[in-house]
Amino acid sequence: MDNTQPGAGATSSDHGSFMEQKSQMSPLNHGGGPPVNYPAYPYGGEPAPQEIRIIAPPVQFRRFGNAAALGLITFGICTVQQSMMDAGMSVGYGHGTRSMTAQSISVAGIAQFAAGLWQIANGDTFEGAAFTSFGASWFAKGLAQVPGVGVEAYQNNESPDLVRKQRGVIALTWGIWVLILLLGNVKSHVANIVLFTTLNLEIDFECAGAWTGDERMTKTGAWFGFFCGLSAMYNAAAILLNEENFWFNLPVGNWYTPKPLRDEEGDLYEE
């Protein structure tokens, strides 16, 4: 029986051969598939083989699928439906919006919020912030329409002008946030820029309609929201439909070419 302590007497060649075996017996490599090579040991020093066996991959090295398509399609579907009702395209202006309660909570709310969390786990802070914030907003909008919560009953006891101006304050702050998102997309492709531009116009006109009480402003904002939802659905389709599972890649209008930069070691990378 070998009483050697873990790591004692292990040479660099032994360590290298063990790391090669480690990649072959990875839990992600069942069935003799291609080996999965873990990144370098992140805790400093040269770990002994026994120590490596019991350490799971750190959080920063765990991989998740791209949840951007989920966030875009859930946002797009509910935005199109809500905008059609707000613009009076289907059931008349100001009617039918309560039928969106369940979808506001589950589809545009919970599902979009979850997509944002997955994007944050993937290291995409921008999309994570966008999806989680809008997912929470949709969830709150749907929850406010649930009987018994008290929001509708509370607003019914207030003057219509006060309720309208409250909506204007909410739209104003969200307009500022969407403007920040738009500015963060100026180097993105055209499809993304169209999405955030129409979203910004939707909220701006909604804010103006709420403050002035002009239904034409509100309806105009709803039409911009309709095209915003369609553009979100197109962006989701552009992610899902590519040459691997479709005949061609959907065009998104890539207009900006990142300049190649050099890091401290002189290696080239894209900004």
Side-chain angles (χ1 to χ4, degrees):
M1 179 176 178
D2 187 4
N3 295 324
T4 305
Q5 295 296 323
T11 63
S12 59
S13 60
D14 295 336
H15 181 69
S17 61
F18 173 78
M19 291 301 291
E20 184 177 357
Q21 296 173 6
K22 173 79 167 62
S23 66
Q24 298 292 337
M25 61 183 178
S26 164
L28 300 178
N29 186 29
H30 296 296
V36 177
N37 295 318
Y38 285 113
Y41 186 71
Y43 304 107
E46 286 289 329
Q50 290 287 350
E51 294 173 348
I52 298 178
R53 289 194 186 103
I54 63 175
I55 292 177
V59 175
Q60 62 267 31
F61 297 134
R62 296 176 189 172
R63 301 194 177 205
F64 297 85
N66 186 3
L70 173 62
L72 287 166
I73 198 63
T74 52
F75 171 81
I77 288 174
C78 290
T79 300
V80 167
Q81 295 172 353
Q82 183 74 59
S83 298
M84 290 180 67
M85 296 178 186
D86 290 343
M89 283 186 263
S90 56
V91 294
Y93 175 71
H95 298 280
T97 55
R98 289 202 176 187
S99 63
M100 288 291 301
T101 300
Q103 292 203 71
S104 297
I105 294 175
S106 60
V107 180
I110 296 176
Q112 187 179 184
F113 188 86
L117 295 181
W118 288 331
Q119 289 303 89
I120 291 175
N122 281 331
D124 194 332
T125 306
F126 184 92
E127 290 184 353
F131 290 145
T132 51
S133 60
F134 274 93
S137 175
W138 275 96
F139 183 85
K141 183 187 298 185
L143 189 65
Q145 297 175 351
V146 175
V149 174
V151 177
E152 291 288 336
Y154 177 77
Q155 289 185 339
N156 289 335
N157 295 326
E158 295 181 332
S159 66
D161 288 341
L162 181 59
V163 174
R164 175 172 51 80
K165 291 180 179 179
Q166 288 173 348
R167 290 201 305 266
V169 172
I170 295 173
L172 175 63
T173 54
W174 277 97
I176 296 173
W177 170 232
V178 174
L179 178 61
I180 294 173
L181 295 176
L182 174 61
L183 296 177
N185 262 283
V186 292
K187 292 184 179 180
S188 181
H189 50 74
V190 175
N192 249 351
I193 297 174
V194 170
L195 165 62
F196 284 99
T197 300
T198 52
L199 178 59
N200 202 291
L201 291 172
E202 174 198 2
I203 297 179
D204 290 344
F205 275 97
E206 179 184 348
C207 179
W211 279 104
T212 62
D214 190 349
E215 291 184 358
R216 295 174 299 177
M217 290 283 189
T218 305
K219 289 184 178 181
T220 302
W223 275 102
F224 278 115
F226 176 74
F227 290 110
C228 171
L230 291 179
S231 62
M233 297 171 73
Y234 182 86
N235 274 275
I239 296 174
L240 297 175
L241 303 180
N242 50 60
E243 292 181 347
E244 294 181 359
N245 53 22
F246 196 58
W247 289 280
F248 55 88
N249 295 327
L250 292 181
V252 293
N254 292 308
W255 68 277
Y256 179 77
T257 303
K259 298 179 181 178
L261 303 175
R262 292 184 180 273
D263 57 17
E264 295 179 354
E265 298 180 355
D267 296 328
L268 287 173
Y269 67 95
E270 290 184 350
E271 64 174 348

